[in-house]
Amino acid sequence: FKVPRGEKLALVGPTGSGKTTITALLLRLYEIQHGSVRVRGKDVRRYDRESLRRLFAVVPQDVYLFPGTVLSNIAAGEAPDRERAEQVLKRLGAYEIFASREQGLDTPVLEQGKNFSTGERQLIAFARAMYRDAPILILDEATASIDSDTESRLSRALQELMRGRTALIIAHRLSTVRAADRIRVLQRGRLVEQGSHDELIAQGGLYARLHELQFSREHASESVMPVAAEAVPAE
């Protein structure tokens, strides 16, 4: 399949269906055995790995923050530029969150970022991707480890991050893929369905079943009430 420049494509499917494998092939973490994988019309094997990976910014599920400062974590391997980092955070609507700390962007980041909330770590990851300013964005379960309320608050930042970029969105939580231009559904390494959210629901196939299952689980978790266990007399 092809992803036109600027398209927001979501990949969904059961665990093990091949979603993350596709991104690994794009980044040449795996070498392909058959066919070809092309980025901007050029076979990935014709790029050196460093040049290829400069075209991508990846936001993973588990955000890794290293000891340093908020600024150095946003720059992540590039020369730290305070003004650039501030502009990135303002675009994401996250500047006040970090500026309000006593040391602002110079706030120390402890090992694994344990002095920041999950949502704050995710915002730093979004800022890191925007600071990198690569044309292709990969969101690999980027909101899977946060709760629905936090996800809602991060939605503006996520939309701003994707603006003007080609985006590949991998998500188990189907609420995060509704706004994608196109959804492709994988099963056992094969593309089995594609379309918009509404089109796939109307088809009543795998995507519709996954959506129904997820909706049922979320509804059940919301409606669970604590119930006192009834004592059962011993025989």
Side-chain angles (χ1 to χ4, degrees):
F1 61 85
K2 294 182 180 180
V3 184
R5 186 173 297 195
E7 182 175 81
K8 311 300 181 282
L9 170 68
L11 295 175
V12 303
T15 299
S17 59
K19 304 182 296 295
T20 299
T21 299
I22 288 175
T23 66
L25 292 173
L26 284 168
L27 296 167
R28 286 190 69 190
L29 300 177
Y30 303 150
E31 294 288 14
I32 60 173
Q33 302 301 313
H34 305 285
S36 66
V37 176
R38 298 176 181 273
V39 174
R40 293 189 159 184
K42 181 178 174 181
D43 192 298
V44 292
R45 292 167 292 190
R46 293 179 55 201
Y47 288 93
D48 66 77
R49 284 181 171 82
E50 185 176 350
S51 298
L52 175 67
R53 292 169 188 170
R54 281 200 202 103
L55 298 173
F56 293 87
V58 181
V59 181
Q61 175 180 349
D62 298 317
V63 178
Y64 178 76
L65 299 184
F66 51 84
T69 65
V70 171
L71 177 59
S72 65
N73 269 274
I74 290 173
E78 297 188 38
D81 183 323
R82 185 177 303 275
E83 183 177 351
R84 180 177 164 190
E86 288 176 350
Q87 289 301 316
V88 162
L89 288 171
K90 287 174 182 177
R91 283 184 62 189
L92 293 172
Y95 177 72
E96 294 301 328
I97 293 173
F98 298 101
S100 63
R101 292 203 174 212
E102 185 176 352
Q103 294 175 266
L105 297 191
D106 295 318
T107 299
V109 175
L110 302 181
E111 187 175 356
Q112 298 180 346
K114 58 188 177 184
N115 56 326
F116 291 87
S117 69
T118 302
E120 288 171 333
R121 292 196 296 270
Q122 200 67 54
L123 283 170
I124 292 174
F126 290 172
R128 181 183 288 171
M130 186 174 282
Y131 189 95
R132 184 178 177 84
D133 199 26
I136 307 171
L137 177 66
I138 295 176
L139 300 169
D140 192 353
E141 303 285 4
T143 59
S145 59
I146 59 179
D147 58 67
S148 297
D149 289 340
T150 304
E151 181 187 9
S152 178
R153 291 198 297 272
L154 292 179
S155 61
R156 175 192 165 188
L158 186 57
Q159 291 301 315
E160 185 62 31
L161 175 59
M162 291 192 292
R163 190 186 306 277
R165 292 180 172 83
T166 304
L168 198 60
I169 307 160
I170 297 173
H172 282 301
R173 189 181 292 171
L174 300 186
S175 60
T176 64
V177 306
R178 283 175 177 261
D181 299 316
R182 188 186 307 271
I183 301 168
R184 287 190 164 97
V185 186
L186 300 173
Q187 185 175 36
R188 297 177 183 174
R190 294 185 178 276
L191 177 64
V192 294
E193 295 173 3
Q194 59 182 318
S196 68
H197 171 79
D198 291 339
E199 289 169 346
L200 291 170
I201 291 294
Q203 287 178 22
L206 176 60
Y207 181 87
R209 293 196 300 274
L210 290 171
H211 184 268
E212 182 179 0
L213 178 62
Q214 193 167 106
F215 179 81
S216 298
R217 286 176 175 170
E218 291 174 356
H219 182 71
S221 66
E222 290 171 358
S223 60
V224 169
M225 297 290 289
V227 178
E230 183 176 339
V232 178
E235 293 182 356

